[in-house]
Amino acid sequence: MNYPERLENVAVLGAAGKMGSGIVLLTALEMADLSLDPANRDKEFTLHAVDVSPTALKGLVSYLREQALKAAEKKAVALRKAYAHREDLVLNSDIIRQYVQDVMDIVHPTTHLSDTFGSTIVFEAASENPALKVKLFSEIRAHGHPDVWIFTNTSSIPISELDRKAELSGRIIGFHFYNPPAVQKLVELASGGTTRQELKDFSAAFAKRIRKVVVPSSDTAGFIGNGHFMRDLLHAIAEAGRLTAEGHSFVEAVYMINKVSQEYLVRPMGIFQLIDYVGLDVCQCILKVMDDRIPGELLHSALIDELLAKGVRGGQFPDGSQRDGFLQYVKGRPSGVLDPESLAYTPVDSLAATCDVKLGATPASMISWKAALASANSDQSIAAFYADVRKTGTLAADIATRYGKRSCEIGRKLVADGVAANDEDVNRLLLTGFFHAYGPINSYF
Amino acid sequence: MNPLRRKVYMAAGSTTVSLGTGRKEFHPKKPRPGLEEHIREAGQGVLAQIGGAANVDEGVIGNFMAARFNHQGHLGALIPSIDDGLLWKPCHRVEGACASGGLALLAGIRSVLAETSEVTLALGTEVQNSVKAIYGADILSGAGWFRGERKHGHAHFFPSVFSDRAGHYFEQFGRDRTRNAFARWYRNAIENARLCPTAQEFHNTTADLEALALREPNPHTFVDHLNVFDCSKVSDGASAIAIVSEDGLSRIGVSKQDAVEVVGWAQLEADLTRPPEDPTRLETTRRTVARALEVAGIGIGDLATVECHDCFTMSGLLSVEAIGLAAHGEGPDYICAGETARGGSVPFNTCGGLVGWGHPTGATGVRQAISLWQQLTGKAENWQVEIPANRPYGLQVNMGGNDKTVVAIVYKRGG
């Protein structure tokens, strides 16, 4: 089975979720592009988008239509050539409309897992629950195509474990997109010890075709991405405890750490906003998977457990807007900080009035995340900024330095433990998957 | 045939800003002025300088594709919306692709020559940011031969037309020297635009303009031989000017010193269905300019400044050669030597031209006339260049489509 044949019948499980919808989009676009190749005109491409929620599938269809339109508008130059044989398509608008229709015709939204039993590739983006994944894979192994390949989007569960438990005989690979898949450039690729070479070769080809940067990870719980993120968030929560013990209130501590981890660490968002974006429930699942499988290290947060028990979840509403978590949001921007006792949110504005003074004056050389990404020589600007940060001796400088050092330590440990092959892979992953302005393994701190 | 049986003047120009990306006040998702607001602003700007609408005999407006960009035809009937004093006066709209503004000027000139009007309010407008550029390309492709060219044309139709011309030019005269000239043209355009508050690139702060302009073209996302800096941007705007007889000048209270006189004009048409014989030349432009200069009774050496139709750097370069300031194939050297820059021997497009000032297609011809009126009467403020007493003439060249409709007008100060 060659590359296009393998992609003729594909399924995505958890298709209407945050990750699944992006995977459906990227895969359907690739399938539509293949269908336009004259060599594939005899083939019929189908993508079964499977989800338990019919309502969410409706949302998926709207999302796909909108995103396929944007994709078509972007690649109109190539599409004019691809549709050159269609005399009825003359204007860009004709061609763009046709492409969107062709993408939509490939996608078959369904709530029935049985629809995927003819698929030769199954992307899985169900929730991060090992038992659920094993159940789904076992069912597909039992009833599906005899040569089906599973591409799991797990961000934490070892591939060899899933392979063994679902008895897939090496027909599985970890193909971990980052959120949102349509935007983030990264795919973290993890093979189990038994993963077949053909899957690895196909994965490399597919990732290249959909223009993703591949970073390989060893088959260790949490891989590189969550290996860093989970330890990073545990550091932030521990720092909140430390600052609280020093006399700051909890909401002040969260406000200050969130602000410093965004502005001083030159990241796209603060750490508590990122936890909310990912979802406290997802973080809890990932931590549990890692904690159960990585001995000698406590990878658990009682605070996250407590908040989830009280109904604080974060994550997104079905329309994509941000749900409140550690922070409260108005139009996607943090507007308040949660008090875990009262579950009330203290307005960010009032916290800023007191906490910004506590944090101390910001060095004039501070560089924004956007400016750092846009700058050709951001390394120098960032180094100069941290040199100034060290001189200030403020509370913000202290939090930032401890944070940067810990992030670096986490990165180095991932290499030392063999999770990442080298420093560059860790840095590339954080740059492309988390949009950091610089890699965690650096000499800034 | 006497193309100038009577003296014709232009004065009291007024233009909106060229609104689009690059202007700080422009945001694609926020409400912004439409055709009506632009037309009113430009038109009222003229009326305020000529004693009001009562002094106007008729109106004419140039526009290319409002019927598709804005679902609005019948633009002649928008002229009375500028001022009640224009009600019940003759008004009409003219179209000749990107030369629509130039055709509006000619309609005004002809009416004054025919003595059917002493004061004509000539306008031009286009509002193009109503659609994304990829769909705008479809609309603008109407300036080509739709049935014969569109299906096998490029997604970015007109950039590709001039990219193909550039490809031929590269082959014949060298790629690097030509691209260097494109980059110099871009730099001149932006540096001039930065001096003129109505220019679309007025807020441009790029430090090394030529380095930016020399970015390699990317055929996968755009066209083969040009990059986006070689192209004028998508623009919204309107421009207006009064076209008047000597009696008209008295009526509106404008002195000859404050007006420009039309001393030569020409308008030629090529066959839309026929490709250019030599893609490295703008033959219609060459013929039209030669005719306008002949009518004016002047030579190329008498020009102080030129407003040419640089919808692309490539058309700017070919215009320099078609006008006759550089021989065929020598335009790049002429441009790179700074001859077209504001300190050069014949400054071109002194407030930025189409690349720098902007290109609201139907307005461009009128905007060019305003720029020359300002330049020749000493009203160009920060972007004023020296107009030598021994060569006091300004030339405007407004081109529609792929060198198909061309308007050329020669001006000098009125008194």
Side-chain angles (χ1 to χ4, degrees):
Chain A
M1 214 182 287
N2 61 23
Y3 181 87
E5 285 167 351
R6 181 58 69 177
L7 277 164
E8 271 188 88
N9 191 328
V10 175
V12 177
L13 311 183
K18 213 159 45 169
M19 300 301 293
S21 54
I23 297 170
V24 171
L25 172 70
L26 293 171
T27 312
L29 292 175
E30 168 65 353
M31 292 164 82
D33 290 351
L34 287 173
S35 74
L36 288 171
D37 182 337
N40 297 324
R41 294 255 164 83
D42 58 330
K43 296 186 176 66
E44 194 168 322
F45 291 85
T46 307
L47 189 157
H48 303 285
V50 189
D51 202 279
V52 290
S53 163
T55 314
L57 283 171
K58 275 191 187 168
L60 170 70
V61 170
S62 310
Y63 167 79
L64 287 178
R65 203 180 293 283
E66 197 179 299
Q67 295 301 317
L69 177 65
K70 284 186 185 169
E73 288 170 349
K74 254 190 193 170
K75 55 183 177 187
V77 172
L79 291 180
R80 283 198 79 85
K81 289 178 189 154
Y83 287 105
H85 63 292
R86 288 278 303 269
E87 286 300 324
D88 58 322
L89 305 176
V90 179
L91 296 169
N92 290 341
S93 55
D94 299 334
I95 285 160
I96 287 165
R97 199 179 307 118
Q98 183 62 51
Y99 183 73
V100 172
Q101 190 56 50
D102 288 350
V103 171
M104 299 311 290
D105 286 349
I106 285 170
V107 179
H108 166 232
T110 175
T111 55
H112 304 293
L113 184 66
S114 57
D115 286 345
T116 71
F117 291 165
S119 297
T120 46
I121 284 181
V122 174
F123 285 97
E124 170 273 315
S127 57
E128 200 64 356
N129 174 339
L132 172 70
K133 288 186 198 281
V134 169
K135 182 171 173 287
L136 284 170
F137 298 162
S138 300
E139 207 164 327
I140 290 166
R141 191 243 314 131
H143 304 288
H145 192 283
D147 189 28
V148 62
W149 292 354
I150 308 278
F151 289 72
T152 174
N153 194 54
T154 183
S155 62
S156 62
I157 309 165
I159 306 307
S160 49
E161 177 185 325
L162 293 169
D163 189 14
R164 190 179 65 251
K165 290 186 176 170
E167 298 174 37
L168 291 166
S169 314
R171 286 184 282 120
I172 181 168
I173 196 164
F175 200 92
H176 178 212
F177 289 92
Y178 273 67
N179 186 20
V183 177
Q184 300 281 29
K185 290 180 204 155
L186 177 69
V187 163
E188 189 177 20
L189 207 56
S191 302
T194 51
T195 297
R196 295 182 184 187
Q197 189 58 41
E198 310 94 270
L199 266 83
K200 296 181 192 174
D201 296 343
F202 178 92
S203 298
F206 180 69
K208 192 175 176 193
R209 288 268 310 187
I210 62 172
R211 295 190 188 87
K212 295 296 179 193
V213 173
V214 171
V215 173
S217 167
S218 79
D219 194 24
T220 308
F223 309 109
I224 304 171
N226 278 329
H228 185 275
F229 174 40
M230 290 299 127
R231 291 175 176 99
D232 200 50
L233 76 83
L234 289 174
H235 170 76
I237 291 169
E239 280 288 275
R242 183 179 68 85
L243 291 177
T244 310
E246 286 177 5
H248 306 283
S249 72
F250 179 81
V251 289
E252 286 176 335
V254 168
Y255 169 85
M256 292 194 286
I257 294 163
N258 194 64
K259 182 182 169 85
V260 171
S261 60
Q262 177 172 10
E263 295 177 9
Y264 281 70
L265 273 288
V266 198
R267 292 183 179 182
M269 59 177 78
I271 185 68
F272 288 102
Q273 189 179 355
L274 180 60
I275 297 171
D276 289 347
Y277 179 71
V278 172
L280 276 72
D281 49 351
V282 175
C283 291
Q284 186 190 46
C285 286
I286 295 169
L287 281 168
K288 175 153 177 45
V289 168
M290 291 174 67
D291 200 40
D292 288 349
R293 288 160 182 79
I294 298 174
E297 189 179 359
L298 184 64
L299 293 161
H300 172 253
S301 164
L303 179 60
I304 288 181
D305 290 351
E306 180 195 333
L307 292 178
L308 280 164
K310 289 178 174 175
V312 179
R313 286 176 57 196
Q316 279 83 41
F317 288 105
D319 69 354
S321 60
Q322 181 62 46
R323 201 185 262 132
D324 296 343
F326 275 102
L327 309 177
Q328 188 174 39
Y329 298 88
V330 173
K331 291 184 181 170
R333 288 168 182 270
S335 62
V337 179
L338 180 76
D339 175 354
E341 299 299 319
S342 66
L343 296 185
Y345 285 91
T346 305
V348 160
D349 292 347
S350 69
L351 286 168
T354 53
C355 295
D356 290 356
V357 176
K358 288 186 184 189
L359 285 170
T362 308
S365 57
M366 178 178 262
I367 179 167
S368 74
W369 170 72
K370 271 190 183 170
L373 287 194
S375 163
N377 51 0
S378 63
D379 290 1
Q380 290 168 16
S381 312
I382 290 168
F385 169 52
Y386 288 129
D388 290 346
V389 166
R390 278 194 295 277
K391 285 180 211 155
T392 61
T394 59
L395 176 58
D398 180 51
I399 298 171
T401 306
R402 291 168 63 91
Y403 208 105
K405 279 185 175 167
R406 175 61 186 150
S407 177
C408 182
E409 192 178 285
I410 296 167
R412 288 194 196 285
K413 186 169 166 21
L414 287 167
V415 178
D417 291 349
V419 181
N422 48 51
D423 293 0
E424 289 70 34
D425 279 357
V426 174
N427 285 349
R428 186 158 50 241
L429 189 138
L430 272 294
L431 290 170
T432 54
F434 288 80
F435 262 125
H436 286 188
Y438 57 88
I441 302 179
N442 57 65
S443 53
Y444 296 141
F445 302 96
Chain B
M1 187 175 74
N2 178 2
L4 281 166
R5 57 191 287 272
R6 193 181 184 217
K7 281 188 183 292
V8 181
Y9 299 87
M10 292 194 202
S14 167
T15 185
T16 65
V17 299
S18 178
L19 191 61
T21 56
R23 290 292 305 190
K24 283 182 180 168
E25 66 269 46
F26 177 79
H27 189 294
K29 289 183 178 162
K30 288 191 177 159
R32 52 185 177 274
L35 282 171
E36 298 83 347
E37 290 79 11
H38 283 295
I39 291 170
R40 207 172 298 143
E41 182 186 337
Q44 287 177 350
V46 174
L47 298 184
Q49 299 173 66
I50 64 167
N55 285 333
V56 175
D57 292 325
E58 64 174 40
V60 58
I61 186 162
N63 171 260
F64 177 29
M65 279 285 191
R68 292 191 63 200
F69 278 119
N70 322 101
H71 309 289
Q72 182 64 65
H74 205 174
L75 293 200
L78 279 179
I79 295 176
S81 76
I82 295 168
D83 189 294
D84 277 356
L86 297 171
L87 276 169
W88 328 126
K89 290 184 175 173
C91 292
H92 69 291
R93 170 258 182 130
V94 292
E95 190 271 310
C98 301
S100 298
L103 292 185
L105 298 176
L106 290 196
I109 290 169
R110 285 191 175 106
S111 194
V112 170
L113 288 172
E115 300 183 37
T116 54
S117 169
E118 304 299 334
V119 178
T120 295
L121 175 63
L123 304 109
T125 190
E126 208 77 51
V127 172
Q128 300 174 267
N129 282 293
S130 52
V131 299
K132 288 184 182 175
I134 195 69
Y135 304 112
D138 279 339
I139 296 175
L140 295 171
S141 73
W145 178 34
F146 188 82
R147 205 177 80 190
E149 295 176 335
R150 184 64 190 117
K151 171 60 192 168
H152 300 292
H154 195 278
H156 303 280
F157 184 83
F158 263 100
S160 174
V161 166
F162 280 86
S163 165
D164 290 349
R165 281 185 179 270
H168 287 285
Y169 198 94
F170 291 171
E171 215 167 273
Q172 211 168 322
F173 300 113
R175 184 176 193 270
D176 289 349
R177 62 191 282 266
T178 309
R179 290 204 73 229
N180 287 339
F182 290 172
R184 180 61 197 264
W185 190 276
Y186 176 74
R187 182 184 130 196
N188 291 347
I190 305 304
E191 286 179 351
N192 286 340
R194 284 173 181 164
L195 303 172
C196 178
T198 54
Q200 193 160 337
E201 295 290 351
F202 179 61
H203 300 127
N204 186 312
T205 56
T206 302
D208 192 343
L209 292 163
E210 290 195 49
L212 183 68
L214 280 169
R215 278 194 192 170
E216 271 303 305
N218 180 353
H220 298 296
T221 55
F222 197 49
V223 295
D224 293 351
H225 305 296
L226 302 179
N227 62 35
V228 293
F229 307 104
D230 290 311
C231 308
S232 52
K233 286 182 163 181
V234 176
S235 314
D236 298 349
S239 303
I241 197 163
I243 302 176
V244 293
S245 62
E246 276 191 282
D247 288 349
L249 276 180
S250 315
R251 188 204 291 175
I252 65 175
V254 171
S255 72
K256 286 183 182 174
Q257 277 289 310
D258 288 328
V260 285
E261 183 185 346
V262 174
V263 295
W265 62 272
Q267 191 263 306
L268 300 183
E269 207 73 19
D271 179 353
L272 190 64
T273 66
R274 209 178 299 176
E277 278 183 19
D278 180 352
T280 66
R281 296 173 194 267
L282 295 179
E283 180 59 17
T284 316
T285 296
R286 186 190 70 77
R287 288 169 181 268
T288 313
V289 170
R291 171 77 183 132
L293 293 176
E294 185 192 339
V295 171
I298 66 165
I300 198 75
D302 296 317
L303 293 175
T305 180
V306 174
E307 283 291 323
C308 82
H309 197 94
D310 62 333
C311 44
F312 302 97
T313 53
M314 183 63 207
S315 60
L317 185 157
L318 293 182
S319 296
V320 169
E321 294 181 3
I323 289 165
L325 285 163
H328 186 217
E330 291 175 13
D333 300 337
Y334 186 81
I335 293 164
C336 288
E339 300 295 353
T340 60
R342 58 188 310 102
S345 54
V346 183
F348 268 61
N349 298 354
T350 53
C351 60
L354 282 62
V355 167
W357 190 87
H359 185 27
T361 46
T364 288
V366 181
R367 197 277 308 156
Q368 290 175 320
I370 295 169
S371 300
L372 285 174
W373 164 68
Q374 288 171 292
Q375 206 51 272
L376 296 177
T377 58
K379 299 179 197 301
E381 298 179 344
N382 287 342
W383 48 284
Q384 183 70 51
V385 294
E386 191 198 340
I387 305 297
N390 62 343
R391 46 186 186 100
Y393 297 94
L395 168 70
Q396 161 186 12
V397 184
N398 186 202
M399 178 177 78
N402 187 12
D403 194 37
K404 296 304 181 192
T405 295
V406 181
V407 174
I409 305 176
V410 184
Y411 304 88
K412 69 169 187 178
R413 194 172 193 164

